[in-house]
């Protein structure tokens, strides 16, 4: 009968539908894990900083003034600005905004990646995908979505405008996104050059137009993020360069950062991670798709080691590697034509991907369990305490960048010594040191100090306040969780002025409380 499929084709269609349902169920499980974890995540300073900039500044000021101090293009800030000024979203929505992009990225991986399902399914639950670039609400939640979209469009050489749109957005996401855009763009052009004689003038004109668009985009990014002499990082770099050797030795070396990013991005130990990357690279060379793997992965490793890096940047190399393998992965037609050696090589790569998944699944399980048990940042507890005692109705001082995480829980700037609610990373950095004259003049009721080294704060910083008539009344503990460890502490010290303080008086003995409902790590 016309229009009726044969039984064999009908059975095959039913199987495909069942597998698609399986993909949807995995995505649902992923979404539940991410959304559940967000409920227990205390947002830290880097999450709050972008939120406050978007809250308190207009778009023009963000793009043409503040971004150079942030060292990052403004796509994320613009998204947050729209969320607040158009949809009137509150600070509690921040985590769910990031999660929506993370879920979209996971959906692209589950439904469009060429890997077999026994790789795709565990891959979405790895540390970077289910936690670092999903729960932590930073621009990196968009990174898998945009990078994987670029991987899908990479083989479409007749419509360069499609991948150009994705790369344009990626370039405006973060500094890492800008570098990745250049890497994937060059690799895409390399493939296009090989096909140049075979394509017609309309396609060639598209390529020329797309190259022009990207050149203009890079020029625009350079103009808005080009640092001026008053940018904190420039001053800090000069200060470190001119510092005594002992001070310079206290900062991680390039080799130490190289080890950190390679182990952090892949399977936690140096030699296995190096072997993994080398074997992936060898296979991509075998597949003649080496440029789209080596360029982005190598650039993320070098960028971290030579220029700038923190633990949350390790995931950029992980995402780049997955995209590079995605581009090199054989089609069904190529797979059918493989000889025995090709199939063995592909089997080795699949086994390596499963090892990568296994280690990172373990990391994800540990960090999510600890996210539930321990405070990621003490900011939420500090804000709750300040509200409970009505501290925001009195004058308060705040010190160091981390206090922005407390600011975000209030609808106004609560620290009178800070000109803005966000931390302006430009000179002079007034709130990084105690201004004694200002302290005596204003006599703030409360002082909030952030520290990622609480022992140093107790030994040195606290004494400057207690000796001037302040007592330590509350301590909010926090841990910047990273895989199976803690990258740094996120602790807030709250001091209260005693009656008749700020006169010549002996040091006051500290009296501390901690009302955090989560436990402290041993």
């Amino acid at each position: 009968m016309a229009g009726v499929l044969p039984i064999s084709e009908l059975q095959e269609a039913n199987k495909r539908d069942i597998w698609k349902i399986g993909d949807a169920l995995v995505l649902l499980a992923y979404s539940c894990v991410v959304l559940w974890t967000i409920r227990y995540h205390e947002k830290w300073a880097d999450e709050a900083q972008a939120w406050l900039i978007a809250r308190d500044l207009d778009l023009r000021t963000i793009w043409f003034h503040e971004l150079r101090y942030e060292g990052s293009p403004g796509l994320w800030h613009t998204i947050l600005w729209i969320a607040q000024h158009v949809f009137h979203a509150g600070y509690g929505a921040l985590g769910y905004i990031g999660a929506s992009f993370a879920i979209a990225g996971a959906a692209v991986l589950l439904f469009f990646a060429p890997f077999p399902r026994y790789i795709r399914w565990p891959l979405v639950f790895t540390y970077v995908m289910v936690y670092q670039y999903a729960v932590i609400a930073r621009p990196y939640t968009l990174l898998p979505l945009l990078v994987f979209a670029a991987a899908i469009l990479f083989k479409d050489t007749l419509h360069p405008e499609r991948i150009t749109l994705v790369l344009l957005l990626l370039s405006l996401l973060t500094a890492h996104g800008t570098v990745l855009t250049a890497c994937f763009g060059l690799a895409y052009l390399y493939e296009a050059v090989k096909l140049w004689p075979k394509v017609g003038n309309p396609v060639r004109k598209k390529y020329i137009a797309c190259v022009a668009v990207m050149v203009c985009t890079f020029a625009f990014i350079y103009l808005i993020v080009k640092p001026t002499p008053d940018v904190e990082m420039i001053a800090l770099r000069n200060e470190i360069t001119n510092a005594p050797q002992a001070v310079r030795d206290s900062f991680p070396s390039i080799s130490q950062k190289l080890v950190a990013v390679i182990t952090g991005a892949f399977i936690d130990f140096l030699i296995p991670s190096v072997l993994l990357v080398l074997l992936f690279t060898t296979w991509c060379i075998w597949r003649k798709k080496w440029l789209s793997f080596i360029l982005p992965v190598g650039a993320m490793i070098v960028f971290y080691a030579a220029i700038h890096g923190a633990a949350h940047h390790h995931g950029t190399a992980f995402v780049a590697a997955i995209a590079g393998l995605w581009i090199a992965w054989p089609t069904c037609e190529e797979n059918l034509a493989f000889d025995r050696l090709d199939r063995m090589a592909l089997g080795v790569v699949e086994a390596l991907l499963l090892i990568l998944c296994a280690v990172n699944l373990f990391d994800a399980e540990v960090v999510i369990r600890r996210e539930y048990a321990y405070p990621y940042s003490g900011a939420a507890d500090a804000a709750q305490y300040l509200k409970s005692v009505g501290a925001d109705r009195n004058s308060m001082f705040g010190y160091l960048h981390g206090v922005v995480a407390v600011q975000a829980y209030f609808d106004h700037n609560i620290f009178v010594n800070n000109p803005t609610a966000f931390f302006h990373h430009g000179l002079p950095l007034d709130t990084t040191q105690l201004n004694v004259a200002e302290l005596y003049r204003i006599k703030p009721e409360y002082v909030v100090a952030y520290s990622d080294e609480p022992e140093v704060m107790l030994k040195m910083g606290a004494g400057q306040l207690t000796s001037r008539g302040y007592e330590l009344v509350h301590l909010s503990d926090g841990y910047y969780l990273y895989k199976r460890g803690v990258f740094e502490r996120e602790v807030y010290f709250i001091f209260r002025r005693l009656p008749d303080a700020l006169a010549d008086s002996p040091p006051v003995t500290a009296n501390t409380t901690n009302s955090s409902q989560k436990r402290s790590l041993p």
Side-chain angles (χ1 to χ4, degrees):
M1 184 181 296
V4 177
L5 291 173
I7 293 177
S8 59
E9 291 186 22
L10 199 59
Q11 290 175 334
E12 189 64 31
N14 289 336
K15 286 182 181 179
R16 286 196 298 268
D17 290 341
I18 291 172
W19 282 118
K20 288 179 181 178
I21 293 172
D23 292 337
L25 291 174
V26 171
L27 181 62
L28 177 62
Y30 170 89
S31 303
C32 289
V33 171
V34 170
L35 296 174
W36 180 85
T37 309
I38 285 173
R39 290 180 58 200
Y40 299 97
H41 171 69
E42 295 86 0
K43 293 180 279 293
W44 69 303
D46 280 19
E47 294 173 86
Q49 174 78 349
W51 180 267
L52 291 172
I53 289 173
R55 186 192 75 182
D56 294 348
L57 298 178
D58 59 84
L59 281 178
R60 181 183 177 85
T61 305
I62 292 172
W63 278 90
F64 296 102
H65 177 73
E66 200 61 35
L67 289 180
R68 70 182 70 257
Y69 297 97
E70 295 296 296
S72 176
L75 178 60
W76 180 244
H77 298 81
T78 302
I79 291 170
L80 297 185
W81 189 93
I82 293 170
Q84 295 181 75
H85 295 272
V86 177
F87 296 101
H88 308 290
Y91 188 50
L94 176 60
Y96 299 101
I97 293 171
S100 64
F101 293 118
I103 292 169
V108 170
L109 178 62
L110 283 170
F111 291 106
F112 297 102
F115 314 125
R117 282 185 171 86
Y118 54 78
I119 292 175
R120 271 184 280 160
W121 287 3
L123 193 56
V124 296
F125 293 100
T126 52
Y127 171 80
V128 170
M129 292 294 299
V130 80
Y131 181 77
Q132 188 67 62
Y133 290 176
V135 173
I136 315 299
R138 299 206 64 210
Y140 303 98
T141 57
L142 272 158
L143 192 71
L145 173 62
L146 294 176
V147 171
F148 295 160
I152 292 174
L153 299 170
F154 191 89
K155 294 181 180 180
D156 184 1
T157 54
L158 297 180
H159 299 92
E161 69 278 5
R162 296 173 182 174
I163 193 172
T164 298
L165 177 60
V166 172
L167 293 180
L168 189 151
L169 294 173
L170 179 61
S171 69
L172 295 172
L173 185 62
T174 64
H176 296 82
T178 305
V179 175
L180 284 173
T181 295
C183 294
F184 285 116
L186 287 172
Y188 183 77
L189 284 177
Y190 176 77
E191 296 295 327
V193 166
K194 294 188 291 186
L195 297 173
W196 196 256
K198 301 178 183 178
V199 298
N201 283 333
V203 176
R204 292 180 182 180
K205 289 179 181 179
K206 286 182 182 180
Y207 272 98
I208 294 170
C210 290
V211 169
V213 167
M214 291 312 305
V215 169
C216 291
T217 300
F218 286 130
F220 173 72
I221 291 171
Y222 174 76
L223 288 174
I224 62 173
V225 302
K226 179 186 177 183
T228 50
D230 65 329
V231 172
E232 176 189 6
M233 287 302 296
I234 301 298
L236 180 61
R237 191 172 299 167
N238 294 335
E239 187 177 322
I240 293 171
T241 303
N242 299 322
Q245 186 62 44
V247 175
R248 296 201 300 271
D249 290 343
S250 66
F251 289 86
S253 65
I254 289 178
S255 60
Q256 288 172 323
K257 290 196 290 183
L258 193 63
V259 170
V261 67
I262 293 173
T263 56
F266 298 104
I267 48 178
D268 299 353
F269 300 96
L270 180 60
I271 293 177
S273 295
V274 170
L275 287 175
L276 183 87
V277 174
L278 289 177
L279 288 170
F280 281 159
T281 302
T282 302
W283 182 75
C284 289
I285 293 172
W286 176 287
R287 290 279 303 142
K288 299 180 180 179
K289 299 288 185 182
W290 56 275
L291 204 59
S292 52
F293 183 87
I294 292 176
L295 273 183
V297 175
M300 291 300 95
I301 292 173
V302 171
F303 190 76
Y304 180 94
I307 300 176
H308 177 61
H312 53 269
H313 296 138
H314 296 168
T316 60
F318 178 91
V319 173
I322 299 303
L325 293 173
W326 184 323
I327 292 168
W329 208 262
T331 63
C332 294
E333 293 77 13
E334 289 175 314
N335 220 330
L336 291 173
F338 272 1
D339 58 24
R340 183 170 176 271
L341 193 58
D342 289 323
R343 285 193 291 272
M344 287 178 60
L346 182 60
V348 169
V349 172
E350 290 181 356
L352 291 172
L353 277 170
L354 287 173
I355 293 171
L356 180 68
C357 287
V359 174
N360 282 274
L361 281 168
F362 181 43
D363 289 334
E365 186 275 331
V366 172
V367 76
I368 289 173
R369 181 158 39 85
R370 288 184 170 180
E371 181 73 79
Y372 170 77
Y374 309 117
Y376 188 96
S377 167
D381 179 70
Q384 182 180 357
Y385 174 80
L386 292 172
K387 289 180 179 180
S388 70
V389 296
D392 57 315
R393 295 192 293 271
N394 301 297
S395 59
M396 278 194 290
F397 274 15
Y399 289 100
L400 298 176
H401 167 254
V403 297
V404 300
V406 178
Q407 291 264 32
Y409 289 96
F410 297 84
D411 61 3
H412 62 285
N413 182 6
I414 61 173
F415 300 122
V416 296
N417 66 321
N418 290 8
T420 57
F422 59 89
F423 188 93
H424 178 67
H425 291 279
L427 302 180
L429 298 172
D430 294 327
T431 58
T432 59
Q433 293 181 345
L434 178 65
N435 186 325
V436 177
E438 188 180 40
L439 186 75
Y440 273 79
R441 180 174 59 85
I442 298 178
K443 298 180 181 180
E445 184 77 11
Y446 288 90
V447 174
V448 180
Y450 160 83
S451 179
D452 55 8
E453 297 181 18
E455 296 82 4
V456 175
M457 173 64 75
L458 288 171
K459 289 179 182 178
M460 300 175 62
Q464 297 184 51
L465 290 167
T466 56
S467 65
R468 293 177 172 88
Y470 281 82
E471 66 173 341
L472 181 58
V473 294
H474 191 82
L475 185 147
S476 299
D477 208 354
Y479 304 88
Y480 177 165
L481 300 172
Y482 173 72
K483 290 196 170 183
R484 284 168 273 164
V486 175
F487 183 70
E488 65 185 22
R489 297 289 290 278
E490 295 286 326
V491 185
Y492 294 83
F493 296 82
I494 301 178
F495 300 85
R496 184 175 184 179
R497 179 169 54 84
L498 294 172
D500 302 322
L502 299 182
D504 293 334
S505 58
V508 180
T509 305
N511 175 30
T512 68
T513 63
N514 188 343
S515 62
S516 176
Q517 295 181 355
K518 291 190 176 183
R519 296 177 291 143
S520 295
L521 280 168

